[in-house]
């Protein structure tokens, strides 16, 4: 299956700092990528849909200015958590859609963020 | 009411059992159906993908879609402890559409 990588796999930062998470599709070009967050033992929560070359579409209740998404190329999308606070601590997972065939979403391994 | 409802579990079975995981949905436009497996602290991994109604088999896994009943299932035969994970169903209406996920069912297979 298609491979999606995510970096870093975990990060610890101080409150008030910004953190950037990268998501790459390694063996296919993804015009659309998705960003999710997941709290322990809870379901995936879609944060935003990222389309290459255009602005991301955010889900209701997700702060655009806090969670900056950039999809500058067909293989890379980034999520920047700006001025992170402890309540932003979570598991962030990206997903890329393979436009060939089924258009199925493939997920990255996730990034665990801990804000102190 | 959610568009996709998944049996919440948790589900605990002995090794070798047949496992049935199920989801129902309300949107008749859904045509693409997926099952993902998520191990603890990992991203979801695509297990099965089905288009429209019917069955699809891959090793010990069988996915069934009944569009008339708006019901999908994932069967795991000869379950193994390594199958212990959370299973997520997902579906969408078009090739380019956004997928809607179930909340997941946590499965534990005991040796």
């Amino acid at each position: 299956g298609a491979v999606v990588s995510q970096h870093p796999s975990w990060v610890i930062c101080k409150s008030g700092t910004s953190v950037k998470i990268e998501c790459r599709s390694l063996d296919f070009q993804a015009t659309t990528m998705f960003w999710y967050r997941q709290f322990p033992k809870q379901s995936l929560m879609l944060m935003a849909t990222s389309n290459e070359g255009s602005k991301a579409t955010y889900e209701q209740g997700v702060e655009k200015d806090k969670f900056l998404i950039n999809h500058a190329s067909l293989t890379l999308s980034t999520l920047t958590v700006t001025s992170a606070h402890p309540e932003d601590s979570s598991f962030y997972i990206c997903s890329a859609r393979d436009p060939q065939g089924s258009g199925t979403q493939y997920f990255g391994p996730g990034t665990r963020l801990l804000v102190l | 009411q959610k568009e996709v409802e998944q049996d919440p579990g948790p589900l605990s079975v002995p090794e070798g059992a047949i496992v049935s995981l199920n989801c129902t949905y309300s949107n008749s436009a859904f045509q693409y159906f997926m099952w993902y497996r998520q191990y603890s602290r990992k991203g979801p991994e695509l297990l099965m993908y089905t288009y429209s109604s019917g069955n699809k088999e891959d090793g010990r896994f069988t996915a069934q879609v009944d569009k008339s009943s708006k019901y999908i299932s994932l069967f795991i035969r000869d379950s193994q402890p390594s199958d212990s994970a959370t299973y997520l169903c997902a579906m969408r209406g078009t090739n380019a559409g956004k997928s809607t996920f179930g909340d997941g069912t946590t499965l534990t297979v005991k040796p």
Side-chain angles (χ1 to χ4, degrees), chain A residues 4-45:
Chain A
V4 176
S5 71
Q6 215 172 314
H7 178 80
S9 56
W10 61 271
V11 59
I12 301 173
C13 69
K14 292 182 180 179
S15 185
T17 61
S18 293
V19 175
K20 180 186 280 188
I21 302 169
E22 291 188 350
C23 177
R24 293 180 185 273
S25 56
L26 298 186
D27 50 3
F28 64 99
Q29 293 185 327
T31 53
T32 304
M33 290 185 174
F34 304 89
W35 286 95
Y36 296 83
R37 69 186 296 182
Q38 187 177 39
F39 292 104
K41 299 191 177 183
Q42 293 192 21
S43 62
L44 296 170
M45 186 192 85

Side-chain angles (χ1 to χ4, degrees), chain B residues 44-60:
Chain B
E45 164 195 4
L46 179 67
L47 269 181
M48 301 283 286
Y49 151 76
T50 311
Y51 172 70
S52 194
S53 282
N55 294 357
K56 187 173 185 178
E57 186 174 324
D58 184 1
R60 296 185 294 110

Side-chain angles (χ1 to χ4, degrees), chain A residues 43, chain B residues 2-9 21-25 35-36 86-90 101-106:
Chain A
S43 62
Chain B
K2 294 180 180 179
E3 269 193 309
V4 178
E5 297 277 0
Q6 186 168 359
D7 290 350
L21 303 165
N22 309 294
C23 288
T24 58
Y25 62 94
W35 285 96
Y36 290 86
T86 296
Y87 290 80
L88 301 158
C89 64
F101 285 80
D103 288 344
T105 301
T106 298

Side-chain angles (χ1 to χ4, degrees), chain A residues 97-116:
Chain A
R97 179 159 60 209
D98 184 350
Q100 303 297 321
S102 66
T104 298
Q105 286 181 231
Y106 295 90
F107 285 86
T111 296
R112 192 161 301 278
L113 170 64
L114 176 61
V115 184
L116 302 177

Side-chain angles (χ1 to χ4, degrees), chain A residues 31-113:
Chain A
T31 53
T32 304
M33 290 185 174
F34 304 89
W35 286 95
Y36 296 83
R37 69 186 296 182
Q38 187 177 39
F39 292 104
K41 299 191 177 183
Q42 293 192 21
S43 62
L44 296 170
M45 186 192 85
L46 179 65
M47 299 175 65
T49 302
S50 164
N51 292 296
E52 187 266 338
S54 64
K55 290 184 179 180
T57 303
Y58 289 81
E59 295 299 304
Q60 191 172 11
V62 178
E63 298 177 60
K64 300 178 184 181
D65 296 332
K66 180 158 190 68
F67 299 101
L68 300 179
I69 291 172
N70 184 288
H71 192 161
S73 79
L74 289 172
T75 60
L76 173 64
S77 177
T78 61
L79 167 67
T80 301
V81 183
T82 61
S83 186
H85 291 284
E87 58 266 28
D88 298 323
S89 298
S90 189
F91 190 48
Y92 292 87
I93 313 173
C94 74
S95 174
R97 179 159 60 209
D98 184 350
Q100 303 297 321
S102 66
T104 298
Q105 286 181 231
Y106 295 90
F107 285 86
T111 296
R112 192 161 301 278
L113 170 64

Side-chain angles (χ1 to χ4, degrees), chain B residues 37-74:
Chain B
R37 176 175 62 196
Q38 185 177 22
Y39 291 113
S40 181
R41 298 173 181 261
K42 302 288 184 184
E45 164 195 4
L46 179 67
L47 269 181
M48 301 283 286
Y49 151 76
T50 311
Y51 172 70
S52 194
S53 282
N55 294 357
K56 187 173 185 178
E57 186 174 324
D58 184 1
R60 296 185 294 110
F61 299 90
T62 300
Q64 283 188 352
V65 175
D66 182 347
K67 290 187 69 179
S68 61
S69 302
K70 297 190 181 67
Y71 189 88
I72 70 170
S73 299
L74 177 70

